[in-house]
Coordinates of all heavy atoms in Angstrom, one line a residue:
M1 N -12.7 -1.8 -95.6 CA -11.4 -1.5 -95.0 C -10.3 -2.2 -95.7 O -10.5 -3.2 -96.5 CB -11.3 -2.1 -93.6 CG -12.0 -1.2 -92.6 SD -11.4 -1.8 -91.0 CE -12.0 -0.6 -90.0
L2 N -9.2 -1.6 -95.7 CA -8.0 -2.1 -96.4 C -6.9 -2.4 -95.3 O -6.9 -1.9 -94.3 CB -7.4 -1.1 -97.4 CG -8.4 -0.6 -98.5 CD1 -7.8 0.6 -99.2 CD2 -8.7 -1.6 -99.5
M3 N -6.1 -3.2 -95.7 CA -4.9 -3.6 -94.9 C -3.6 -3.2 -95.6 O -3.5 -3.4 -96.9 CB -4.8 -5.1 -94.5 CG -3.8 -5.5 -93.5 SD -4.0 -7.1 -92.9 CE -3.9 -8.1 -94.3
G4 N -2.6 -2.7 -94.8 CA -1.4 -2.3 -95.5 C -0.3 -2.2 -94.5 O -0.4 -2.4 -93.3
K5 N 0.9 -1.9 -95.1 CA 2.1 -1.7 -94.3 C 2.7 -0.3 -94.6 O 2.8 0.1 -95.7 CB 3.2 -2.7 -94.7 CG 4.5 -2.6 -93.9 CD 5.4 -3.7 -94.4 CE 6.7 -3.6 -93.7 NZ 7.6 -4.7 -94.1
V6 N 3.0 0.4 -93.4 CA 3.5 1.8 -93.6 C 4.9 1.8 -94.1 O 5.8 1.1 -93.5 CB 3.4 2.6 -92.3 CG1 4.0 3.9 -92.4 CG2 2.0 2.5 -91.7
V7 N 5.2 2.4 -95.2 CA 6.6 2.4 -95.9 C 7.1 3.7 -95.9 O 8.3 3.9 -96.1 CB 6.5 1.7 -97.3 CG1 6.1 0.3 -97.3 CG2 5.5 2.5 -98.2
G8 N 6.4 4.7 -95.6 CA 7.1 6.1 -95.6 C 6.1 7.1 -95.0 O 4.9 6.8 -94.8
H9 N 6.6 8.4 -94.9 CA 5.7 9.5 -94.5 C 5.9 10.6 -95.6 O 6.8 10.8 -96.2 CB 5.9 9.9 -93.1 CG 7.3 10.5 -93.0 ND1 8.4 9.8 -92.6 CD2 7.8 11.7 -93.0 CE1 9.5 10.5 -92.6 NE2 9.1 11.7 -92.7
I10 N 4.9 11.4 -95.7 CA 4.8 12.5 -96.7 C 4.9 13.7 -96.0 O 4.2 14.0 -95.0 CB 3.5 12.4 -97.4 CG1 3.1 11.1 -98.0 CG2 3.3 13.6 -98.5 CD1 4.0 10.6 -99.1
V11 N 5.9 14.6 -96.4 CA 6.0 15.9 -95.8 C 5.4 16.9 -96.7 O 5.6 17.0 -98.0 CB 7.5 16.2 -95.7 CG1 7.8 17.7 -95.1 CG2 8.3 15.2 -94.9
S12 N 4.6 17.8 -96.2 CA 3.8 18.8 -96.8 C 4.0 20.1 -96.2 O 3.8 20.3 -94.9 CB 2.4 18.4 -96.8 OG 1.6 19.5 -97.5
T13 N 4.5 21.1 -97.0 CA 4.7 22.4 -96.4 C 3.5 23.2 -96.3 O 3.4 24.1 -95.4 CB 5.6 23.3 -97.4 OG1 5.1 23.3 -98.7 CG2 7.0 22.6 -97.5
R14 N 2.4 22.8 -96.9 CA 1.1 23.4 -96.8 C 0.0 22.3 -96.8 O 0.1 21.3 -97.5 CB 0.8 24.3 -97.9 CG 1.8 25.5 -98.0 CD 1.5 26.5 -99.0 NE 0.2 27.2 -98.6 CZ -0.5 28.0 -99.4 NH1 0.0 28.2 -100.6 NH2 -1.5 28.6 -99.0
K15 N -0.8 22.5 -95.8 CA -2.0 21.5 -95.6 C -3.3 22.2 -95.4 O -3.3 23.4 -95.0 CB -1.8 20.5 -94.4 CG -0.6 19.7 -94.4 CD -0.7 18.9 -93.0 CE 0.6 18.1 -92.8 NZ 0.5 17.4 -91.6
N16 N -4.4 21.6 -95.7 CA -5.7 22.1 -95.4 C -5.6 22.3 -93.9 O -5.2 21.3 -93.1 CB -6.7 21.2 -95.8 CG -8.1 21.6 -95.5 OD1 -8.5 21.5 -94.3 ND2 -8.8 22.2 -96.5
E17 N -6.2 23.3 -93.3 CA -6.2 23.5 -91.8 C -6.9 22.4 -91.1 O -6.6 22.2 -89.8 CB -6.9 24.9 -91.5 CG -8.3 25.0 -91.8 CD -8.9 26.4 -91.7 OE1 -8.2 27.3 -92.1 OE2 -10.0 26.5 -91.2
D18 N -7.7 21.6 -91.7 CA -8.4 20.6 -91.0 C -7.6 19.4 -90.7 O -7.9 18.5 -89.8 CB -9.7 20.1 -91.6 CG -10.8 21.1 -91.7 OD1 -10.8 21.9 -90.7 OD2 -11.6 21.2 -92.7
I19 N -6.4 19.2 -91.5 CA -5.5 18.1 -91.2 C -4.1 18.5 -90.7 O -3.3 17.7 -90.5 CB -5.3 17.2 -92.5 CG1 -4.7 18.0 -93.6 CG2 -6.6 16.6 -92.8 CD1 -4.3 17.2 -94.8
V20 N -4.0 19.8 -90.2 CA -2.8 20.2 -89.6 C -2.7 19.4 -88.3 O -3.6 19.3 -87.5 CB -2.8 21.8 -89.3 CG1 -1.7 22.2 -88.4 CG2 -2.7 22.5 -90.7
G21 N -1.5 18.9 -88.0 CA -1.2 18.1 -86.8 C -1.3 16.7 -87.0 O -1.0 15.8 -86.1
F22 N -1.9 16.2 -88.1 CA -1.9 14.8 -88.5 C -0.8 14.4 -89.3 O -0.4 15.2 -90.3 CB -3.3 14.5 -89.2 CG -4.4 14.5 -88.4 CD1 -5.3 15.6 -88.4 CD2 -4.8 13.5 -87.6 CE1 -6.4 15.7 -87.6 CE2 -5.9 13.5 -86.8 CZ -6.8 14.6 -86.7
K23 N -0.2 13.2 -89.2 CA 0.9 12.7 -90.1 C 0.1 12.2 -91.3 O -1.0 11.7 -91.3 CB 1.6 11.5 -89.5 CG 2.5 11.9 -88.3 CD 3.3 10.8 -87.9 CE 2.6 9.6 -87.4 NZ 3.4 8.6 -86.9
I24 N 0.8 12.3 -92.5 CA 0.5 11.7 -93.7 C 1.3 10.6 -94.1 O 2.6 10.8 -94.2 CB 0.3 12.8 -94.9 CG1 -0.6 13.9 -94.5 CG2 -0.1 12.1 -96.1 CD1 -0.5 15.0 -95.4
L25 N 0.8 9.3 -94.3 CA 1.6 8.2 -94.5 C 1.5 7.6 -95.9 O 0.4 7.6 -96.5 CB 1.3 7.2 -93.4 CG 1.5 7.6 -92.1 CD1 0.8 6.4 -91.0 CD2 2.7 7.9 -91.7
E26 N 2.6 7.1 -96.4 CA 2.5 6.2 -97.6 C 2.4 4.7 -97.1 O 3.2 4.2 -96.3 CB 3.8 6.5 -98.4 CG 3.8 5.6 -99.7 CD 5.2 5.7 -100.5 OE1 6.2 6.2 -99.9 OE2 5.2 5.3 -101.6
I27 N 1.4 4.1 -97.7 CA 1.1 2.7 -97.3 C 1.1 1.7 -98.4 O 0.4 2.0 -99.4 CB -0.2 2.6 -96.5 CG1 -0.2 3.6 -95.2 CG2 -0.5 1.2 -96.2 CD1 -1.4 3.9 -94.7
Q28 N 1.8 0.7 -98.3 CA 1.8 -0.4 -99.3 C 0.7 -1.4 -99.0 O 0.6 -1.9 -97.8 CB 3.1 -1.2 -99.3 CG 3.2 -2.2 -100.4 CD 4.6 -2.9 -100.4 OE1 5.3 -2.8 -99.4 NE2 4.9 -3.5 -101.6
L29 N -0.3 -1.5 -99.9 CA -1.4 -2.4 -99.6 C -1.0 -3.8 -99.6 O -0.2 -4.3 -100.2 CB -2.5 -2.1 -100.7 CG -3.1 -0.7 -100.8 CD1 -4.2 -0.6 -101.8 CD2 -3.6 -0.3 -99.4
V30 N -1.7 -4.6 -98.7 CA -1.6 -6.1 -98.5 C -2.9 -6.7 -98.9 O -4.0 -6.2 -98.3 CB -1.1 -6.4 -97.1 CG1 -1.1 -7.8 -96.9 CG2 0.1 -5.6 -96.8
K31 N -2.8 -7.8 -99.7 CA -4.1 -8.5 -100.0 C -3.7 -9.9 -99.8 O -2.8 -10.4 -100.4 CB -4.5 -8.2 -101.5 CG -5.0 -6.8 -101.6 CD -5.4 -6.5 -103.0 CE -5.8 -5.0 -103.2 NZ -6.1 -4.6 -104.5
N32 N -4.6 -10.6 -99.1 CA -4.4 -12.1 -98.9 C -3.0 -12.4 -98.3 O -2.3 -13.3 -98.7 CB -4.6 -12.9 -100.1 CG -6.0 -12.9 -100.7 OD1 -6.9 -12.7 -100.0 ND2 -6.1 -12.7 -102.0
Q33 N -2.6 -11.5 -97.4 CA -1.4 -11.6 -96.6 C -0.1 -11.5 -97.5 O 0.9 -11.9 -97.1 CB -1.3 -12.9 -95.9 CG -2.6 -13.2 -95.0 CD -2.3 -13.0 -93.5 OE1 -1.2 -13.2 -93.1 NE2 -3.4 -12.7 -92.9
V34 N -0.3 -10.9 -98.7 CA 0.8 -10.7 -99.7 C 1.0 -9.2 -99.9 O -0.1 -8.5 -100.3 CB 0.6 -11.5 -100.9 CG1 1.7 -11.3 -101.9 CG2 0.6 -12.9 -100.6
E35 N 2.1 -8.6 -99.9 CA 2.4 -7.2 -100.2 C 2.2 -7.1 -101.7 O 2.7 -7.9 -102.5 CB 3.7 -6.8 -99.7 CG 3.9 -6.7 -98.2 CD 5.3 -6.4 -97.8 OE1 6.2 -6.2 -98.7 OE2 5.5 -6.3 -96.7
T36 N 1.4 -6.0 -102.1 CA 1.1 -5.8 -103.5 C 2.0 -4.6 -104.0 O 2.8 -4.1 -103.2 CB -0.3 -5.4 -103.7 OG1 -0.6 -4.3 -103.2 CG2 -1.2 -6.5 -103.2
D37 N 1.9 -4.3 -105.4 CA 2.6 -3.2 -105.8 C 1.8 -1.9 -105.7 O 2.1 -1.0 -106.4 CB 3.0 -3.4 -107.4 CG 4.1 -4.4 -107.4 OD1 4.9 -4.6 -106.4 OD2 4.1 -5.1 -108.5
D38 N 0.6 -2.0 -105.0 CA -0.3 -0.8 -104.9 C 0.0 -0.2 -103.7 O 0.3 -0.6 -102.6 CB -1.8 -1.3 -104.9 CG -2.1 -2.0 -106.2 OD1 -1.7 -1.6 -107.3 OD2 -3.0 -3.0 -106.1
Y39 N -0.1 1.3 -103.8 CA 0.2 2.1 -102.6 C -0.9 3.2 -102.4 O -1.7 3.3 -103.3 CB 1.5 3.0 -102.8 CG 2.7 2.1 -102.9 CD1 3.1 1.4 -104.0 CD2 3.5 1.9 -101.7 CE1 4.3 0.5 -104.0 CE2 4.6 1.1 -101.7 CZ 5.0 0.4 -102.8 OH 6.1 -0.4 -102.8
I40 N -1.1 3.6 -101.2 CA -2.2 4.6 -100.9 C -1.5 5.6 -99.9 O -0.6 5.3 -99.2 CB -3.4 3.9 -100.3 CG1 -4.6 4.9 -100.4 CG2 -3.1 3.3 -98.9 CD1 -5.9 4.2 -100.0
V41 N -2.0 6.8 -100.0 CA -1.6 7.9 -99.1 C -2.8 8.1 -98.1 O -3.9 8.2 -98.5 CB -1.3 9.2 -99.8 CG1 -1.0 10.3 -98.9 CG2 -0.1 9.0 -100.7
A42 N -2.5 8.0 -96.7 CA -3.6 8.1 -95.8 C -3.2 9.0 -94.7 O -1.9 9.1 -94.3 CB -3.9 6.7 -95.3
V43 N -4.1 9.6 -94.0 CA -3.9 10.4 -92.8 C -3.9 9.5 -91.7 O -4.7 8.5 -91.6 CB -5.0 11.5 -92.7 CG1 -4.9 12.3 -91.3 CG2 -5.0 12.5 -93.9
D44 N -2.9 9.7 -90.8 CA -2.8 8.8 -89.6 C -3.6 9.4 -88.4 O -3.4 10.4 -88.0 CB -1.3 8.7 -89.2 CG -1.1 7.9 -88.0 OD1 -1.9 6.9 -87.7 OD2 0.0 8.0 -87.3
S45 N -4.5 8.5 -87.8 CA -5.2 9.0 -86.6 C -4.9 8.1 -85.5 O -5.5 8.3 -84.3 CB -6.7 8.8 -86.9 OG -7.1 7.4 -87.0
V46 N -3.9 7.3 -85.6 CA -3.7 6.4 -84.4 C -2.1 6.3 -84.0 O -1.8 5.6 -83.0 CB -4.2 4.9 -84.6 CG1 -5.6 4.8 -84.7 CG2 -3.4 4.4 -85.9
G47 N -1.2 7.1 -84.7 CA 0.1 7.0 -84.3 C 1.0 6.0 -84.8 O 1.8 5.5 -84.2
A48 N 0.5 5.5 -86.0 CA 1.4 4.3 -86.7 C 2.7 4.9 -87.2 O 2.9 6.0 -87.5 CB 0.6 3.9 -87.9
G49 N 3.6 3.9 -87.3 CA 5.0 4.2 -87.8 C 5.4 3.4 -88.9 O 4.7 2.3 -89.2
I50 N 6.5 3.7 -89.4 CA 7.1 3.0 -90.5 C 7.3 1.5 -90.2 O 7.8 1.1 -89.1 CB 8.4 3.5 -91.1 CG1 8.0 4.9 -91.7 CG2 9.1 2.7 -92.1 CD1 9.2 5.8 -92.1
G51 N 6.9 0.5 -91.1 CA 7.1 -0.9 -90.8 C 5.9 -1.5 -90.1 O 5.8 -2.7 -89.9
E52 N 4.9 -0.8 -89.6 CA 3.8 -1.3 -88.9 C 2.6 -1.7 -89.9 O 2.5 -1.0 -90.9 CB 3.2 -0.3 -87.9 CG 4.1 -0.2 -86.7 CD 3.5 0.6 -85.4 OE1 3.2 1.9 -85.8 OE2 3.3 0.0 -84.5
S53 N 2.0 -2.7 -89.5 CA 0.8 -3.1 -90.4 C -0.4 -2.4 -89.8 O -0.6 -2.3 -88.6 CB 0.6 -4.6 -90.3 OG 1.6 -5.4 -90.8
V54 N -1.2 -1.8 -90.7 CA -2.4 -1.0 -90.3 C -3.6 -1.3 -91.0 O -3.6 -1.9 -92.1 CB -2.0 0.4 -90.6 CG1 -0.8 0.9 -89.8 CG2 -1.6 0.8 -92.1
L55 N -4.7 -0.8 -90.5 CA -6.1 -0.8 -91.2 C -6.4 0.5 -91.6 O -6.1 1.5 -90.9 CB -7.1 -1.3 -90.2 CG -7.1 -2.8 -89.7 CD1 -8.1 -3.1 -88.6 CD2 -7.2 -3.7 -90.9
I56 N -7.0 0.6 -92.8 CA -7.3 1.9 -93.4 C -8.7 1.8 -93.8 O -9.2 0.9 -94.4 CB -6.4 2.1 -94.8 CG1 -4.9 1.9 -94.4 CG2 -6.7 3.4 -95.4 CD1 -4.2 1.1 -95.3
T57 N -9.4 3.0 -93.6 CA -10.7 3.1 -94.0 C -10.7 4.2 -95.0 O -9.9 5.1 -95.1 CB -11.7 3.5 -92.9 OG1 -13.1 3.5 -93.4 CG2 -11.5 4.8 -92.3
T58 N -11.6 4.1 -96.1 CA -11.7 5.1 -97.3 C -13.0 5.7 -97.4 O -14.0 5.2 -96.7 CB -11.1 4.4 -98.5 OG1 -12.1 3.3 -98.8 CG2 -9.8 3.9 -98.4
G59 N -13.1 6.6 -98.2 CA -14.5 7.3 -98.6 C -15.0 8.0 -97.4 O -14.2 8.7 -96.7
S60 N -16.4 8.1 -97.3 CA -17.0 8.9 -96.3 C -16.6 8.5 -94.9 O -16.6 9.2 -93.9 CB -18.5 9.0 -96.5 OG -19.0 7.7 -96.4
G61 N -16.3 7.2 -94.7 CA -15.9 6.7 -93.4 C -14.6 7.3 -92.9 O -14.4 7.4 -91.7
A62 N -13.7 7.6 -93.9 CA -12.5 8.3 -93.6 C -12.8 9.7 -92.9 O -12.1 10.0 -91.9 CB -11.6 8.4 -94.8
R63 N -13.6 10.4 -93.4 CA -13.9 11.7 -93.0 C -14.5 11.7 -91.5 O -14.2 12.4 -90.7 CB -14.8 12.5 -93.9 CG -14.2 12.9 -95.1 CD -15.2 13.6 -96.1 NE -16.2 12.7 -96.4 CZ -17.5 13.1 -96.5 NH1 -17.8 14.3 -96.3 NH2 -18.4 12.2 -96.9
L64 N -15.3 10.6 -91.3 CA -16.0 10.4 -90.0 C -15.0 10.0 -89.0 O -15.1 10.3 -87.8 CB -17.1 9.5 -90.1 CG -18.3 10.0 -91.0 CD1 -19.2 8.8 -91.2 CD2 -18.9 11.2 -90.4
A65 N -13.9 9.3 -89.4 CA -12.9 8.8 -88.5 C -12.2 9.9 -87.8 O -11.5 9.8 -86.7 CB -12.0 7.9 -89.2
L66 N -12.1 11.2 -88.4 CA -11.4 12.3 -87.9 C -12.3 13.2 -87.2 O -12.0 14.3 -86.8 CB -10.7 13.1 -89.1 CG -9.5 12.3 -89.8 CD1 -9.1 13.1 -90.9 CD2 -8.6 11.8 -88.8
N67 N -13.6 12.8 -86.9 CA -14.5 13.6 -86.2 C -14.9 14.9 -86.9 O -15.3 15.8 -86.2 CB -14.1 13.8 -84.7 CG -14.0 12.5 -84.0 OD1 -14.7 11.6 -84.1 ND2 -12.9 12.4 -83.2
N68 N -14.7 15.1 -88.0 CA -15.1 16.3 -88.9 C -15.5 15.9 -90.2 O -14.6 15.7 -91.0 CB -14.0 17.3 -88.8 CG -14.3 18.6 -89.5 OD1 -15.4 18.7 -90.0 ND2 -13.5 19.5 -89.4
P69 N -16.8 15.8 -90.5 CA -17.2 15.4 -91.8 C -16.9 16.2 -93.0 O -16.9 15.8 -94.1 CB -18.8 15.3 -91.7 CG -19.1 15.5 -90.3 CD -17.9 15.9 -89.6
A70 N -16.3 17.4 -92.6 CA -15.9 18.4 -93.8 C -14.4 18.3 -94.1 O -14.0 18.9 -95.0 CB -16.3 19.8 -93.3
T71 N -13.7 17.3 -93.4 CA -12.2 17.2 -93.6 C -12.0 16.6 -95.0 O -12.7 15.5 -95.4 CB -11.6 16.2 -92.5 OG1 -11.9 16.8 -91.2 CG2 -10.1 16.1 -92.8
P72 N -11.3 17.2 -95.9 CA -11.0 16.7 -97.2 C -10.0 15.6 -97.3 O -8.8 15.7 -97.7 CB -10.4 18.0 -97.9 CG -9.7 18.6 -96.9 CD -10.4 18.4 -95.6
V73 N -10.4 14.4 -96.8 CA -9.6 13.2 -96.8 C -10.3 12.0 -97.4 O -11.5 12.0 -97.4 CB -9.1 12.8 -95.5 CG1 -8.2 13.9 -94.9 CG2 -10.1 12.5 -94.5
D74 N -9.6 11.1 -98.1 CA -10.2 9.9 -98.7 C -9.7 8.7 -98.0 O -10.3 7.6 -98.3 CB -10.1 9.9 -100.2 CG -10.8 8.9 -100.8 OD1 -12.0 8.8 -100.6 OD2 -10.2 8.1 -101.6
A75 N -8.7 8.7 -97.2 CA -8.2 7.4 -96.6 C -7.6 7.9 -95.2 O -6.8 8.8 -95.1 CB -7.1 6.9 -97.4
V76 N -7.9 7.0 -94.2 CA -7.4 7.4 -92.9 C -7.0 6.0 -92.2 O -7.7 5.0 -92.4 CB -8.5 8.0 -92.0 CG1 -8.1 8.1 -90.5 CG2 -8.9 9.3 -92.5
V77 N -5.8 6.0 -91.6 CA -5.4 4.9 -90.7 C -6.2 4.9 -89.5 O -6.2 5.8 -88.7 CB -3.9 4.9 -90.4 CG1 -3.4 3.8 -89.5 CG2 -3.2 4.9 -91.7
V78 N -6.9 3.7 -89.3 CA -7.8 3.6 -88.0 C -7.3 2.6 -87.1 O -8.0 2.5 -86.0 CB -9.3 3.4 -88.5 CG1 -9.8 4.7 -89.2 CG2 -9.5 2.2 -89.3
G79 N -6.4 1.9 -87.4 CA -5.9 0.8 -86.5 C -4.6 0.3 -86.9 O -4.1 0.3 -87.9
I80 N -3.8 -0.2 -85.8 CA -2.5 -0.9 -85.9 C -2.8 -2.3 -85.7 O -3.3 -2.8 -84.6 CB -1.5 -0.3 -85.0 CG1 -1.3 1.2 -85.3 CG2 -0.2 -1.1 -85.1 CD1 -0.5 1.9 -84.3
I81 N -2.3 -3.2 -86.6 CA -2.5 -4.6 -86.5 C -1.3 -5.2 -85.7 O -0.2 -5.1 -86.0 CB -2.5 -5.2 -87.9 CG1 -3.7 -4.8 -88.7 CG2 -2.6 -6.8 -87.8 CD1 -3.6 -5.2 -90.1
D82 N -1.7 -6.1 -84.6 CA -0.7 -6.6 -83.8 C 0.0 -7.8 -84.5 O -0.6 -8.5 -85.2 CB -1.3 -7.2 -82.5 CG -1.6 -5.9 -81.5 OD1 -1.0 -4.8 -81.8 OD2 -2.4 -6.1 -80.7

């Protein structure tokens, strides 16, 4: 899992039909409680917003987080950090 901070959202005029209805977020990665210069794009499954700290899962776990193993995603927001 990765930790990050939501810094923006991505607008797409066309999406794969399996991710229609999901927000796509731009996330700045955080390592050792320090914001890095690394960013990732992830599908939101929990309703995260800009400025929130989130947990991200990647790889095959990301596809399973959306309840459809055929979904073409590599990163999914699975939690909001309080």
Side-chain angles (χ1 to χ4, degrees):
M1 279 197 171
L2 302 171
M3 187 168 58
K5 180 179 177 182
V6 179
V7 294
H9 62 276
I10 308 293
V11 177
S12 175
T13 56
R14 297 184 71 189
K15 293 184 195 177
N16 180 283
E17 63 187 42
D18 291 330
I19 60 171
V20 170
F22 289 100
K23 291 188 296 184
I24 301 174
L25 302 174
E26 179 183 15
I27 301 166
Q28 183 177 19
L29 296 179
V30 174
K31 294 181 183 173
N32 297 322
Q33 309 254 333
V34 177
E35 294 175 358
T36 68
D37 290 333
D38 298 326
Y39 292 82
I40 191 169
V41 173
V43 172
D44 180 27
S45 70
V46 295
I50 293 175
E52 291 188 294
S53 296
V54 295
L55 291 175
I56 305 131
T57 188
T58 58
S60 61
R63 290 179 298 142
L64 296 175
L66 296 179
N67 296 323
N68 182 355
T71 304
V73 298
D74 189 49
V76 175
V77 175
V78 294
I80 299 172
I81 300 170
D82 289 335

